[in-house]
Amino acid sequence: MAPVLSRSLTPASVASLPYSPLFSSRNNTHNRLSLRSAFLHQNELKNNSFSCSGLKWKVDKRGSSVVVKCEASAVAEKEAPEASGEKHEYQAEVSRLMNLIVHSLYSHKEIFLRELVSNASDALDKLRFLSVTDPSLLGDAGELEIRIKPDPEKGTITISDTGIGMTKEELIDCLGTIAQSGTSKFLNALKENKDLGNDNSLIGQFGVGFYSAFLVAEKVIVSTKSPRSDKQYIWEAAAESSSYVIREETDPEKQIRRGTEITLFLKDDDKYEFTEPSRVQGLVKNYSQFVSFPIFTWQEKSRTVEVEEEEPKEGEETPSEGEKKKKTKTEKYWDWELANETKPIWMRNPKEIEKDQYSEFYKKTFNEFLDPLAYTHFTTEGEVEFRSVIYIPGMAPMNNEDVVNPKTKNIRLYVKRVFISDDFDGELFPRYLSFVKGVVDSNDLPLNVSREILQESRIVRIMRKRLVRKTFDMIQELADSENKEDYRKFWENFGKFVKLGCIEDTGNHKRITPLLRFFSSKSEEELISLDQYIDNMDEKQNAIYYIATDSLQSARSAPFLEKLVQKDIEVLYLVEPIDEVAIQNLQTYKEKKFVDVSKEDLELGDTDEVKERESKQEYILLCDWMKQQLGDKVAKVQISSRLSSSPCVLVSGKFGWSANMERLMRAQTLGDTSTLEFMRGRRIMEVNPDHPIIKDLNAACKNAPESTEAKRAVELLYETALISSGFTPDSPAELGGKIYEMMAVALGGRWGRVEESEAAGETSESAPESESETTETEVVEPSEVRTEADPWST
């Protein structure tokens, strides 16, 4: 791209106009160049543009005069070829692109070291590949390795490699053209030449990786020597410059045998951070720990040496040489230290790795202290190829905010063994599996230019699908193992996550449902699976019954279960807030529907239709009378088929909220209370025709339908059923008053209670007798009086 030019018309541009008497200079205030309209063709004047001398001109009418302007782009095209000499211009609009790289492309400054190490690894890979056909390229320049040396005094950091190096033309081609990737060209050349094969193990396929150095550097110097050239060249550029300089290295002391040496002159704000040896080694371990070439960092070390004791003081005897004592002393020195492991665990054969090695890698990578509950190591091939090792942690997150947080940094993504990122928002794993930890390494992930953001694509979706499937296989294997304690720990820690999957991932219901565990009316101490529930079912039972409450105690004492327990039908207890929503999203399991026993139209399958019809006929008048008394509080009153000992119960409509769901929605901090009345649905009151209270009320509605006591009994019966069914009464204080009043009527005089008026009369009659009885005053002898001055004297 040509450099940016000024929009004004330069003298050189004006000089290029052909001389014509049609041009005239006017002595006006603007000194602008004007020309008569006779010069312009009529059609060109209509289009407000014309061409002359290969340039494009624009016509602008201003009153009676015409102003001609030259387009800057045309001027730029004519002036661009004038650059010459050793000073080279970038082949892009550098100022804007550099600004993007420094401020927008990368999220962390520390990324520069990962990019430069990746480029060095590519240079070594290229040399290793080319040396197969041309061994002379290796020469005697030493081993294939990468070295990183920070210098706090000079404020520099140097990354050197013994790779393929670059010639002058390659420097101009690769470093002079921003976003031009030498690695991409190398791979394309390999693909075109099929005889040489195809090696896709190279890392740095993004051309802007080198320029990430300007995130922290104010100046960068690249010294490189290619085995194909006898000369060593230096490339130098500043951060704010739009040009770079290439020169030949003439200093014999700075000559290198082969490879590239990149020196970064750090900015003042970054000198202290990135010249600290421990910081540099930490970045290598984090991002480039598994690069296939050894990476050495310049570190301060200590060693113990023996030294002779100091000379004796005056007056002391001088020991002979054989008698001189020696002492140990710790001295510090600087040396190279290996900072990476060249072969990661996921690149090795699973058959060669012990369980302890997997646990050690897990603890070291994720800073854990407990062994994982389970792990799986697999390789996926086909249209998408990647390797992965994933783990189930030994315990749940301590922080409740991390329970369903997709950004947990639990999945570390590598591309060709180079760490890319662990900050994902559900791209590789769904939110309900965010507790899974592991590493994923792929050679062909669709990354963006900065490599830090995973792009949504078909490949990513396939990877996610396979990772989720492998995770479920690992959990199912844990559930089927003989050691039931491991799965009990898993369910205790991560059961909520699995239930969340019932809500968020409908496509994996078949994998999620066998993993669910609940308490039941037949198993209140030990969790059971849905498969166990179905195995215990009667052949005639065609539904899975459940009840949702806030505790096991509430579930086992709920009136809805009376007839089911009596008929030996097992009922699942859903005691966690997420349970009811999860089960409602499943709807069926193995062709068995889930049925809430607290809702209307409960069918138990073996009801006596004749008896039921007779009961409805006998109590139809009572139901209508109670509905009239209760009004809009209930949708209807009907005979119940689920009660055996309770007089009545309130059930929810088939499509409305249950009592448990209504309680949960009321408890929501940010819930919309305006929808409560609508979603609550209708309440149906079911009465037990075999209960004495219902029989008494049936007689009352026939013999004394206007009785005040009977109407108050109906109100109290409704309020009591409201509580026993799990609902919240609108006015607890009013309900309490009704109960106290009924208790007073029921208990009045039962144990011979004496009224206050009678007790008062008895007290007044016995008063004269008590007054007539006088007591003799006790006389205290003076000898027994004790003074305050001496209270302890006897």
Side-chain angles (χ1 to χ4, degrees):
M1 182 181 289
V4 179
L5 299 179
S6 172
R7 292 289 181 182
S8 61
L9 190 61
T10 60
S13 302
V14 176
S16 66
L17 288 172
Y19 173 77
S20 173
L22 296 176
F23 285 92
S24 63
S25 176
R26 296 186 179 181
N27 296 325
N28 50 19
T29 57
H30 300 288
N31 292 326
R32 61 193 174 192
L33 186 68
S34 302
L35 70 164
R36 296 190 300 271
S37 59
F39 177 83
L40 303 174
H41 192 274
Q42 192 68 22
N43 292 333
E44 293 178 337
L45 189 60
K46 289 181 181 180
N47 296 331
N48 294 328
S49 65
F50 69 100
S51 299
C52 183
S53 298
L55 301 179
K56 188 175 182 181
W57 301 83
K58 187 176 181 181
V59 181
D60 188 12
K61 287 187 177 182
R62 297 183 182 176
S64 60
S65 61
V66 177
V67 179
V68 180
K69 297 181 179 179
C70 179
E71 291 291 332
S73 61
V75 177
E77 291 176 2
K78 292 186 72 66
E79 292 188 352
E82 295 180 5
S84 62
E86 288 300 315
K87 187 176 181 180
H88 301 268
E89 295 289 336
Y90 288 109
Q91 300 301 309
E93 195 168 345
V94 174
S95 58
R96 294 186 181 181
L97 190 53
M98 285 294 188
N99 186 66
L100 282 174
I101 293 173
V102 175
H103 295 101
S104 303
L105 196 58
Y106 295 99
S107 57
H108 302 289
K109 287 184 175 182
E110 62 190 35
I111 295 299
F112 82 94
L113 192 60
R114 179 195 71 185
E115 297 295 319
L116 296 180
V117 170
S118 297
N119 290 343
S121 176
D122 277 355
L124 295 168
D125 258 325
K126 293 175 187 177
L127 178 62
R128 183 170 59 182
F129 181 84
L130 295 174
S131 65
V132 174
T133 55
D134 188 4
S136 63
L137 294 176
L138 288 175
D140 58 348
E143 299 292 331
L144 302 181
E145 61 186 17
I146 302 170
R147 294 182 181 268
I148 304 173
K149 185 176 183 179
D151 191 337
E153 295 181 359
K154 296 181 181 179
T156 63
I157 180 172
T158 303
I159 299 97
S160 59
D161 65 76
T162 56
I164 189 64
M166 288 177 282
T167 62
K168 182 178 179 180
E169 291 75 17
E170 289 171 340
L171 273 177
I172 298 173
D173 191 27
C174 296
L175 301 189
T177 306
I178 295 181
Q180 173 76 20
S181 174
T183 302
S184 296
K185 279 192 171 183
F186 186 78
L187 290 176
N188 292 334
L190 292 180
K191 291 178 181 178
E192 292 176 2
N193 191 349
K194 297 181 181 180
D195 296 336
L196 294 177
N198 185 11
D199 182 7
N200 196 23
S201 64
L202 300 181
I203 299 169
Q205 298 186 32
F206 297 110
V208 298
F210 167 78
Y211 302 95
S212 64
F214 291 105
L215 290 168
V216 296
E218 57 185 14
K219 185 174 72 172
V220 176
I221 296 178
V222 179
S223 181
T224 182
K225 170 71 167 59
S226 172
R228 296 170 174 172
S229 174
D230 296 333
K231 297 180 180 180
Q232 178 177 333
Y233 293 96
I234 295 177
W235 181 97
E236 181 177 342
E240 302 297 332
S241 176
S242 62
S243 61
Y244 59 93
V245 175
I246 295 179
R247 64 179 183 272
E248 184 180 343
E249 180 61 77
T250 57
D251 189 351
E253 296 182 357
K254 296 182 179 179
Q255 291 288 338
I256 57 178
R257 290 182 291 179
R258 184 191 67 228
T260 303
E261 186 178 276
I262 302 175
T263 303
L264 278 60
F265 293 82
L266 301 175
K267 300 176 182 177
D268 293 337
D269 296 340
D270 303 310
K271 283 183 180 179
Y272 299 103
E273 179 180 0
F274 296 112
T275 57
E276 175 64 33
S278 60
R279 172 67 167 150
V280 172
Q281 190 170 31
L283 291 177
V284 172
K285 288 184 177 296
N286 186 37
Y287 290 102
S288 308
Q289 184 179 7
F290 304 111
V291 168
S292 56
F293 297 97
I295 302 174
F296 295 93
T297 59
W298 190 247
Q299 296 291 324
E300 185 180 28
K301 299 183 178 182
S302 60
R303 59 189 172 192
T304 302
V305 295
E306 289 187 352
V307 295
E308 295 181 354
E309 290 188 346
E310 298 178 356
E311 294 295 329
K313 297 181 181 179
E314 295 182 1
E316 296 181 357
E317 295 182 0
T318 303
S320 60
E321 293 185 1
E323 296 177 353
K324 286 185 178 181
K325 295 183 179 180
K326 295 183 179 182
K327 65 178 182 179
T328 58
K329 179 182 178 181
T330 302
E331 65 175 12
K332 294 184 178 180
Y333 68 101
W334 290 85
D335 197 2
W336 294 105
E337 181 177 321
L338 184 65
N340 69 321
E341 301 175 13
T342 57
K343 191 162 187 179
I345 193 171
W346 62 83
M347 300 295 293
R348 297 163 57 187
N349 189 346
K351 297 180 180 179
E352 301 174 356
I353 307 174
E354 301 293 334
K355 181 178 180 180
D356 294 341
Q357 293 176 293
Y358 283 113
S359 298
E360 182 182 355
F361 175 78
Y362 167 75
K363 293 177 182 178
K364 182 179 178 181
T365 305
F366 299 102
N367 297 322
E368 292 284 344
F369 61 93
L370 292 177
D371 289 335
L373 286 176
Y375 64 87
T376 181
H377 181 185
F378 62 93
T379 301
T380 301
E381 298 179 349
E383 57 182 333
V384 178
E385 297 183 5
F386 64 93
R387 297 171 180 266
S388 180
V389 181
I390 53 179
Y391 299 86
I392 296 177
M395 63 180 298
M398 300 296 292
N399 189 355
N400 289 332
E401 294 179 0
D402 294 336
V403 172
V404 288
N405 182 11
K407 294 186 177 182
T408 54
K409 298 184 181 295
N410 286 343
I411 300 299
R412 295 176 61 85
L413 175 65
Y414 292 80
V415 172
K416 298 171 184 173
R417 303 175 307 283
V418 174
F419 174 66
I420 300 300
S421 179
D422 58 2
D423 188 9
F424 302 112
D425 192 7
E427 290 96 338
L428 291 178
F429 270 92
R431 186 172 67 138
Y432 68 93
L433 291 179
S434 59
F435 63 91
V436 177
K437 297 185 178 184
V439 295
V440 179
D441 187 3
S442 176
N443 291 342
D444 50 2
L445 270 179
L447 303 175
N448 72 342
V449 176
S450 69
R451 314 187 194 198
E452 296 172 328
I453 303 173
L454 195 60
Q455 301 296 308
E456 179 62 29
S457 70
R458 179 171 170 270
I459 296 178
V460 176
R461 290 194 296 270
I462 295 174
M463 286 186 63
R464 173 188 169 116
K465 185 176 181 180
R466 293 184 181 177
L467 285 169
V468 170
R469 185 188 306 165
K470 287 290 184 180
T471 301
F472 279 123
D473 292 343
M474 175 174 55
I475 299 174
Q476 188 62 54
E477 185 177 347
L478 186 66
D480 296 338
S481 66
E482 297 179 357
N483 189 355
K484 301 299 181 183
E485 183 65 20
D486 284 345
Y487 193 75
R488 188 194 64 79
K489 289 181 181 179
F490 167 80
W491 188 255
E492 182 180 339
N493 290 320
F494 308 110
K496 294 184 178 68
F497 291 81
V498 179
K499 294 172 185 176
L500 181 63
C502 298
I503 303 171
E504 295 188 342
D505 193 356
T506 56
N508 281 307
H509 276 179
K510 291 184 178 180
R511 293 187 176 93
I512 295 174
T513 313
L515 303 176
L516 299 176
R517 299 292 185 271
F518 301 100
F519 293 105
S520 72
S521 57
K522 293 183 178 181
S523 179
E524 297 182 2
E525 302 295 332
E526 186 177 351
L527 293 165
I528 65 168
S529 65
L530 294 178
D531 290 322
Q532 289 175 293
Y533 179 94
I534 293 177
D535 292 340
N536 297 334
M537 285 173 48
D538 187 85
E539 294 181 359
K540 298 180 180 179
Q541 184 178 337
N542 56 6
I544 301 174
Y545 297 102
Y546 70 89
I547 181 171
T549 61
D550 58 346
S551 66
L552 282 175
Q553 180 63 31
S554 300
R556 68 168 65 99
S557 60
F560 306 102
L561 273 64
E562 292 175 359
K563 192 59 75 68
L564 286 94
V565 173
Q566 188 177 4
K567 293 184 176 183
D568 198 33
I569 297 176
E570 190 172 13
V571 180
L572 296 177
Y573 293 161
L574 311 186
V575 295
E576 292 187 353
I578 196 175
D579 288 352
E580 185 174 3
V581 183
I583 289 295
Q584 288 175 351
N585 277 269
L586 292 177
Q587 295 183 352
T588 61
Y589 179 62
K590 292 187 175 180
E591 300 181 355
K592 304 289 184 181
K593 295 179 65 176
F594 289 96
V595 175
D596 188 348
V597 298
S598 67
K599 293 192 174 183
E600 65 174 326
D601 297 338
L602 178 65
E603 298 179 0
L604 300 181
D606 58 347
T607 55
D608 190 343
E609 296 182 1
V610 176
K611 184 179 179 181
E612 184 178 358
R613 192 182 309 113
E614 291 177 355
S615 297
K616 287 182 179 180
Q617 188 68 27
E618 181 180 356
Y619 289 92
I620 187 171
L621 183 62
L622 172 65
C623 293
D624 293 341
W625 179 72
M626 292 180 68
K627 173 64 177 74
Q628 184 179 1
Q629 304 305 318
L630 297 174
D632 295 334
K633 294 180 180 179
V634 296
K636 62 181 178 179
V637 181
Q638 63 185 21
I639 300 300
S640 177
S641 61
R642 72 185 82 204
L643 298 176
S644 61
S645 58
S646 300
C648 63
V649 71
L650 278 176
V651 299
S652 304
K654 183 179 294 186
F655 303 105
W657 280 342
S658 65
N660 181 66
M661 184 60 68
E662 185 177 330
R663 175 182 59 83
L664 293 175
M665 297 307 296
R666 285 181 181 274
Q668 297 298 313
T669 304
L670 302 177
D672 185 6
T673 56
S674 62
T675 61
L676 286 176
E677 192 65 29
F678 173 74
M679 291 300 298
R680 184 170 60 184
R682 58 179 189 166
R683 295 172 181 170
I684 300 169
M685 189 172 188
E686 293 187 356
V687 296
N688 181 7
D690 298 327
H691 200 277
I693 295 178
I694 301 303
K695 292 181 178 180
D696 290 339
L697 288 177
N698 188 35
C701 77
K702 294 179 180 178
N703 301 326
E706 300 300 327
S707 171
T708 305
E709 288 78 6
K711 293 180 179 179
R712 289 167 63 189
V714 172
E715 288 286 342
L716 184 59
L717 195 65
Y718 167 78
E719 298 284 353
T720 308
L722 200 67
I723 295 176
S724 64
S725 302
F727 295 98
T728 303
D730 296 331
S731 178
E734 184 178 346
L735 172 61
K738 293 178 182 178
I739 294 175
Y740 297 150
E741 187 177 350
M742 292 295 290
M743 289 177 66
V745 173
L747 302 179
R750 173 169 293 187
W751 296 287
R753 174 169 56 89
V754 181
E755 297 293 339
E756 292 182 0
S757 58
E758 298 177 359
E762 293 176 358
T763 304
S764 59
E765 292 177 359
S766 61
E769 297 178 3
S770 61
E771 291 177 358
S772 61
E773 298 178 359
T774 58
T775 58
E776 185 177 355
T777 304
E778 182 180 0
V779 179
V780 180
E781 297 294 335
S783 60
E784 297 180 2
V785 177
R786 296 170 183 167
T787 61
E788 294 181 1
D790 189 12
W792 304 103
S793 62
T794 55

